[in-house]
Amino acid sequence: MPELPEVETIAGDLRGLVTGARIVGASCNWPPTLRSHDAGAFARGVADREIEGVGRRGKQLLIWLGPSARSDRPGNPPDDDPVVLTVHLKMTGQLFVVPADTPRDRHVHLVLSLADGRELRFRDMRKFGRIGLYRRDEATGEPVAGEAPRVLATGAEPLAADFTAGRLAEMLSHRRGRLKTLLMNQDFLAGVGNIYADETLWRARLHPLRDAQTLRRDGVRRLHKALRDVLAEAVERRGSSVDDYTAPGGDGSMQDHLRVYQRAGEPCDRCGRPIRRIAVGGRSTHFCSWCQRLPAEQRAAAASGWTRRGPRWTELEGEGALGRTRDEDARVADRAGDRTRRLDALQKAAAARRAAARVGGPA
Ligand SMILES: [Zn+2]
C-alpha cells in the first residue's frame, strides 16, 4: 500500500497537472469507491468546481476544490462552500491524468472530467480504494470537524517541522507495545506502513518487537533520525514502486535502495548476516537479528528457553516464522550464482503492468 513518500509524490505530480483545472462532471462505476455520496450526488457535488491544490494527510491525498461556479443550490455539500476530496489508494489505487480519448480499461472506477478535455482517473484493480467528499475547513485543509469521522489519520506527521525527537519521546512515554506495531498505528504516526517501518527500524538498529517503553533517550533519537531520513530519501526518490504503485509522473526508484524490505535471505548491508522475515501482528517484518537486538530484560522475558548461545529469535516462537517470498528466493538464487532471471522478469512484469495502466491498458 502506498505510504507517506508514495502519496507525497502523487500529490506533487497532481498539483502540477491539475491545479487550476475545472471539473465539469464525474462518473463512478463502482459505488463502494465513494465513502460519502452515491454516484449522482457526488457528480453534482464536484461539478463546476476548480481544483485549488493537492495535499496529503498520512497515506491519503487531499484534493482541494473551490466553491461551485453555480452557487444556486443548497445541496450537499452546498455550492458556496470550499470542499475537499479525500483519496485513500489502499492496495492498488492509481491516479492518472490523461486526454479524455485515452482508452479506459475496466479497472478505472472513477473519472473526473476536466473542462480542458482531460480526465483525472482513479484506477483500482482490487477495489479497496475509497474517496470522500466533504466541506473543507480552510485553516487545516481537512474536512470540517465531525464531518468525516475516522476517515483521516490522527497521528503526528513525521516530516512536519514540529516533529522533533523531544516530541517523539513525549509521544512514546505514554505508549506500550511493540515498536513495529506502534510505528504503523496511524493514530500514533501518520503515513508509515510496512515498508518504511521495517526500513526505519533497521536504520535505527532497533528490534521490531522491542517494547516501546524500554527505549532510552539515545534509542529515541536514533529512531527519530532514521524515520525522518528514510522518509525524506524515499520522497526524493519518488517512493518505492513495488506492486502497483506508480504516480502520474512515473515510477519511483526507492525500491532499489531498501535495505531489508523483501530482502529476506540476502546479507545485511551492515553485518553480512542474512535478513530475516517473520510475522508480527499478521504482517511480514524484515530485520537483521544481529544488528537489531532486543534488550536483555525483554529477551529474557520473551524467551523462556533462551540461552546465551541460543537463537536470537526464540522470542518469535508462536509468531510463526515465514519463508521467503518468490522475489526473495529469486534474488537469493541470483546472488548464489544461479543465473536465474526470475526476479528481473517479475520486476519487469510489474513495471509493464504499471506502464499499461498509464495508457489505458489492456481491458
Ligand atoms: Zn545486520
Side-chain angles (χ1 to χ4, degrees), residues 93-321:
Q94 299 167 326
L95 288 163
F96 299 110
V97 180
V98 293
D101 59 3
T102 305
R104 250 187 233 180
D105 75 12
R106 65 198 171 89
H107 302 299
V108 172
H109 296 305
L110 178 75
V111 174
L112 299 182
S113 303
L114 306 178
D116 58 22
R118 294 178 303 160
E119 290 179 347
L120 172 53
R121 294 180 181 175
F122 179 66
R123 183 176 185 274
D124 189 12
M125 281 176 65
R126 300 280 298 274
K127 300 184 187 171
F128 291 131
R130 294 292 178 266
I131 296 177
L133 168 66
Y134 307 99
R135 286 186 302 143
R136 171 172 29 127
D137 177 335
E138 292 200 71
T140 62
E142 295 181 10
V144 297
E147 192 131 306
R150 305 206 52 77
V151 169
L152 292 180
T154 58
E157 282 289 338
L159 289 181
D162 64 355
F163 184 75
T164 59
R167 167 117 192 262
L168 178 60
E170 203 273 321
M171 285 163 53
L172 284 166
S173 68
H174 24 235
R175 297 303 286 245
R176 301 198 74 85
R178 298 159 163 172
L179 284 180
K180 167 82 188 252
T181 313
L182 201 51
L183 289 182
M184 290 177 51
N185 179 346
Q186 299 302 300
D187 294 323
F188 178 74
L189 207 58
V192 176
N194 218 24
I195 299 176
Y196 298 106
D198 284 1
E199 293 295 313
T200 294
L201 292 169
W202 181 84
R203 288 189 187 214
R205 283 176 283 120
L206 294 168
H207 196 293
L209 301 187
R210 175 104 178 232
D211 183 339
Q213 297 262 302
T214 66
L215 273 194
R216 302 281 164 84
R217 185 187 293 191
D218 159 64
V220 174
R221 225 182 265 133
R222 288 204 314 273
L223 179 61
H224 177 261
K225 180 171 176 4
L227 188 57
R228 305 241 312 179
D229 285 355
V230 77
L231 292 174
E233 181 186 341
V235 169
E236 184 75 18
R237 298 190 192 278
R238 298 180 51 80
S240 300
S241 281
V242 292
D243 303 328
D244 295 280
Y245 162 69
T246 189
D251 285 359
S253 63
M254 187 66 186
Q255 67 278 9
D256 299 329
H257 302 269
L258 301 175
R259 309 297 195 96
V260 285
Y261 183 75
Q262 291 189 346
R263 290 191 54 188
E266 286 188 64
C268 167
D269 283 344
R270 210 158 33 207
C271 72
R273 291 174 178 82
I275 301 295
R276 304 230 132 217
R277 181 166 179 264
I278 57 167
V280 178
R283 305 295 304 273
S284 66
T285 292
H286 311 78
F287 72 110
C288 173
S289 58
W290 187 265
C291 299
Q292 297 167 259
R293 305 217 199 164
L294 286 174
E297 68 268 26
Q298 199 187 333
R299 209 160 50 201
S304 48
W306 191 84
T307 63
R308 219 166 144 247
R309 299 183 59 83
R312 287 184 173 75
W313 43 90
T314 36
E315 72 270 18
L316 305 179
E317 278 175 6
E319 285 286 346

